[in-house]
Amino acid sequence: MTARPSQPRILWVGTRVPWPPADGGRQVAAATLAALAAAGADVTVVTPSSPLSQPPPELEAWHPIAERRPSWAVAAVRAALSGRAVTLTRHAMPRVGTHVADLIARGGIDVVHAEQVHAATAALVAHHAGVPVVLRAHNVESVLWRSGAGRPVGLRTLVRLEGRRLAAGEQALLRRVDAVVALTDEDRVVLQAMAPATPVVHVPPPGPPVRTPGARLAGAPACVWLGSDGWAPNEDGVRWLRTDVWPAIARAVPGAHLHVFGGSPAWSGSAAVTVHPRPAVATVAFADEAVLLLPLRVPAGLRMRVLDAWAHGVPVVASPASLHGLGATPGRDILDADSPAAFAAAVRAIRDQPSLRAALVAAGRTRLAAAHDPAASAAALLAVYRSAIARRARR
């Protein structure tokens, strides 16, 4: 696609292929790239390669690089020798960085977008050519590590120590980039405090279009958990769901059935629970007459699952930590619950009050349109790019 005269030419650098958008991070990236393409921006994407990738036809320039991350053990040894955080060492991507430098040397790049802090090191090679770098942070990585949430008790001390080292590395990267984009205003405040001299702007991610819910699932109601494995806040949340929240719902709401998408064998033998593979299409999980459960205990980033639920017309029952960054009004856009008993009461209310379900669906879709319009999100992001280009030019 040829860029409109007023649009910057963008080199997008990521640590993962956004397609298919199988988790929240990939969904944010894929939706943003689609919104930028619709706005007429010229975007070249550079990521490590993946055999499962399915880039959309509107993306004309994707450069997959054969780059494999080292194991955690190898990364830990390298980090000990270099003094860097293990997670930053593991995502260093030297081949991606070399390719970024080659593309910039050819000319035609106005700004480099680093998708999440782990991509910043590879993206910062642009500075040698005077090209500005904009970092988009999905969350504050060091805060998640320092919390130790979702980690085995025996590892929490090591995880928190790594969090302190990561905070130093994260802060150094934030200070070197030309601008930072935060998905939530809460994260913007934290990131700005870490790098006072770097402009930090809150730009909500684009949401999905309104969709028809999928075919009904078993249960009255069908309750749904959908989450990425391997991410500590999700692992902590699904553990709480399994041990406390779902048993409370099952006792208080006879006929309710839990559908776990992307779950683990730990659910085997649980009454009124069906474990499904992670769906290739989100509509399968966001079924007609379902209820999305989000019992997370660690606030981090922005829950794209909530945006998907709003788009599909599925009401949400969520813990206070799950509402981080959404700007949602409890009781209007979403039902909040801070205990297993509160989750059970909310699910029962949705089952027994059709008018409540309808009101939650309508309010959620209104909030989705108001706060996560793709065109508005792309325009705001493009404004950040232009501002970074202008500041770099003045230097």
Side-chain angles (χ1 to χ4, degrees):
M1 177 179 292
T2 302
R4 296 174 188 168
S6 60
Q7 304 293 34
R9 295 162 297 181
I10 306 154
L11 179 59
W12 177 293
V13 182
T15 61
R16 302 183 296 174
V17 182
W19 314 282
D23 55 48
R26 288 182 173 90
Q27 185 178 354
V28 170
T32 303
L33 286 166
L36 289 171
D42 183 353
V43 186
T44 299
V45 178
V46 180
T47 69
S49 58
S50 169
L52 301 178
S53 59
Q54 302 169 6
E58 65 268 19
L59 182 74
E60 297 179 358
W62 172 46
H63 295 232
I65 307 302
E67 179 115 59
R68 296 185 63 183
R69 288 181 296 177
S71 67
W72 283 105
V74 170
V77 172
R78 293 177 181 173
L81 294 174
S82 67
R84 299 184 71 205
V86 177
T87 183
L88 291 179
T89 301
R90 190 165 182 257
H91 290 87
M93 304 192 302
R95 291 183 180 179
V96 170
T98 298
H99 192 73
V100 169
D102 290 344
L103 288 175
I104 291 173
R106 297 176 196 174
I109 300 297
D110 297 315
V111 63
V112 175
H113 171 113
E115 184 71 348
Q116 304 196 53
V117 70
H118 297 114
T121 300
L124 279 168
V125 298
H127 275 181
H128 296 297
V131 177
V133 176
V134 173
L135 165 65
R136 184 165 72 166
H138 288 203
N139 49 53
V140 186
E141 289 285 337
S142 56
V143 171
L144 295 181
W145 280 80
R146 282 185 291 182
S147 72
R151 310 289 184 177
V153 174
L155 293 178
R156 286 182 187 173
T157 298
L158 288 175
V159 168
R160 286 170 178 151
L161 288 172
E162 167 67 8
R164 295 193 193 103
R165 183 184 291 180
L166 177 57
E170 195 172 31
Q171 186 176 48
L173 290 171
L174 291 170
R175 290 174 173 175
R176 291 184 64 195
V177 299
D178 296 271
V180 177
V181 174
L183 296 185
T184 72
D185 196 53
E186 292 89 334
D187 288 346
R188 179 195 63 78
V189 172
V190 177
L191 293 166
Q192 189 67 83
M194 294 173 70
T198 303
V200 182
V201 183
H202 168 216
V203 178
V210 170
R211 297 183 172 123
T212 302
R216 290 193 180 187
L217 297 168
C223 298
V224 171
W225 161 269
L226 175 67
S228 306
D229 298 330
W231 195 52
N234 275 349
E235 292 175 352
D236 177 71
V238 77
R239 189 179 304 116
W240 189 35
L241 175 64
R242 184 176 63 247
T243 60
D244 299 294
V245 173
W246 176 244
I249 294 173
R251 288 191 300 268
V253 191
H257 193 103
L258 178 63
H259 296 267
V260 179
F261 287 86
S264 69
W267 287 98
S268 60
S270 301
V273 177
T274 301
V275 178
H276 306 263
R278 186 167 184 86
V281 179
T283 299
V284 175
F286 295 102
D288 188 25
E289 297 296 316
V291 177
L292 178 68
L293 304 179
L294 275 182
L296 301 181
R297 295 185 284 195
V298 182
L302 185 143
R303 305 274 80 74
M304 293 299 289
R305 283 168 282 177
V306 175
L307 305 192
D308 258 330
W310 286 344
H312 285 90
V314 172
V316 181
V317 181
S319 61
S322 302
L323 304 182
H324 178 84
L326 283 168
T329 300
R332 184 188 67 189
D333 310 321
I334 204 165
L335 292 187
D336 62 324
D338 58 2
S339 68
F343 269 93
V347 171
R348 185 171 58 241
I350 292 173
R351 182 198 64 180
D352 296 343
Q353 302 175 42
S355 60
L356 174 62
R357 172 184 283 275
L360 289 169
V361 168
R365 283 180 165 169
T366 298
R367 178 66 189 166
L368 179 67
H372 299 281
D373 174 65
S377 181
L381 193 54
L382 287 165
V384 176
Y385 295 152
R386 293 191 195 96
S387 180
I389 292 167
R391 282 194 303 274
R392 174 63 61 169
R394 287 195 296 269
R395 294 180 188 177

